[in-house]
């Protein structure tokens, strides 16, 4: 009987831990909804597609829920990617890591503007003009709002390393994504 009771209590502890995590997520969701005046549709990630040429996830919301290609997908930590295809009950989102992904961005501290691009790996690349080179390791990169896709101010990542200046017109920095894209569970379609 003690072994049975021990197993029951272990299961209960596991469920309580998951409830705590979920309640923390709900609090962060409520805070995020007050930050953005854009309607957000919650969605669950139900599949990952991480081939060598592209990076995407499958979500459990689709055309019947009002999801359309071109809509941004976010979490409370920052930008995730863009919806690229929909069916009635699901949709595919191209992650920021995808080599075809690019987002107009700015350095939060110095306001240097550039372009964040996917590399097909676990990091992002931030290209910016040499003349506006106030970019340092640790800087936070956010969406600029230009292009009309992502709202201004979503976190994209933080600078790990900055390429040495070699007289070229463009420089680049390696970014660590703000969102751990390998551990996505719940996302929001804007």
């Amino acid at each position: 009987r003690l072994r049975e009771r021990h197993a029951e209590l272990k299961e209960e502890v596991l469920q309580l831990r998951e409830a705590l995590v979920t309640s923390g997520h709900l609090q962060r969701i409520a805070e995020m909804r007050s930050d953005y005046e854009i309607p957000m549709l919650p969605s669950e990630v139900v599949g990952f597609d991480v081939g060598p040429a592209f990076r995407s996830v499958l979500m459990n919301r689709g055309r019947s829920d009002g999801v359309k290609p071109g809509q941004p997908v976010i979490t409370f930590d920052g930008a995730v990617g863009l919806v690229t295809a929909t069916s009635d009950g699901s949709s595919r989102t191209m992650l920021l890591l995808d080599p075809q992904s690019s987002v107009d961005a700015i350095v939060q501290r110095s306001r240097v503007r550039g372009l964040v691009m996917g590399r097909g790996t676990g990091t992002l690349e931030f290209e910016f003009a040499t003349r506006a080179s106030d970019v340092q390791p640790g800087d936070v990169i956010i969406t600029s709002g230009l292009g009309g896709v992502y709202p201004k101010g979503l976190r994209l990542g933080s600078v790990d390393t900055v390429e040495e200046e070699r007289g070229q017109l463009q420089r680049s920095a390696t970014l660590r994504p703000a969102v751990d894209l390998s551990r996505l569970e719940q996302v929001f379609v804007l």
Side-chain angles (χ1 to χ4, degrees):
R1 282 186 301 182
L2 284 176
R3 283 190 182 113
E4 282 179 25
R5 183 67 179 143
H6 182 259
E8 290 172 3
L9 289 173
K10 280 176 69 174
E11 180 63 28
E12 191 175 323
V13 166
L14 182 66
Q15 289 175 1
L16 288 172
R17 282 187 181 152
E18 186 62 27
L20 278 174
V21 169
T22 301
S23 70
H25 286 296
L26 293 174
Q27 176 63 34
R28 290 171 77 181
I29 290 165
E31 291 169 4
M32 188 173 79
R33 285 187 179 207
S34 67
D35 290 343
Y36 300 104
E37 295 178 10
I38 300 167
M40 295 188 298
L41 177 68
S43 180
E44 297 289 325
V45 173
V46 294
F48 284 86
D49 190 359
V50 287
F54 48 87
R55 303 254 175 166
S56 63
V57 294
L58 188 64
M59 301 183 307
N60 69 345
R61 299 288 189 133
R63 216 174 306 137
S64 60
D65 300 297
V67 178
K68 298 175 189 147
Q71 288 180 293
V73 176
I74 66 171
T75 69
F76 29 73
D77 292 323
V80 170
L82 285 177
V83 175
T84 55
T86 61
S87 67
D88 280 340
S90 66
S91 55
R92 181 167 303 281
T93 296
M94 176 178 63
L95 299 176
L96 292 174
L97 298 174
D98 191 290
Q100 297 179 46
S101 173
S102 64
V103 181
D104 196 77
I106 55 176
V107 177
Q108 193 172 40
R109 176 187 58 81
S110 64
R111 311 315 278 180
V112 170
R113 176 166 270 113
L115 196 62
V116 170
M117 298 173 294
R119 293 177 147 179
T121 64
T123 61
L124 300 167
E125 183 174 356
F126 179 57
E127 274 194 2
F128 55 97
T130 300
R131 69 180 186 283
S133 61
D134 188 9
V135 178
Q136 300 171 7
D139 278 344
V140 174
I141 310 299
I142 59 174
T143 55
S144 70
L146 293 180
V149 177
Y150 291 97
K152 186 175 184 174
L154 291 173
R155 290 174 56 98
L156 292 167
S158 57
V159 176
D160 262 347
T161 58
V162 180
E163 217 180 70
E164 290 297 317
E165 195 167 349
R166 295 189 181 116
Q168 301 169 351
L169 295 176
Q170 295 283 318
R171 289 182 66 195
S172 67
T174 301
L175 303 183
R176 184 176 49 256
V179 177
D180 184 350
L181 298 169
S182 67
R183 300 177 67 182
L184 288 174
E185 292 181 33
Q186 180 154 24
V187 294
F188 299 91
V189 182
L190 297 182

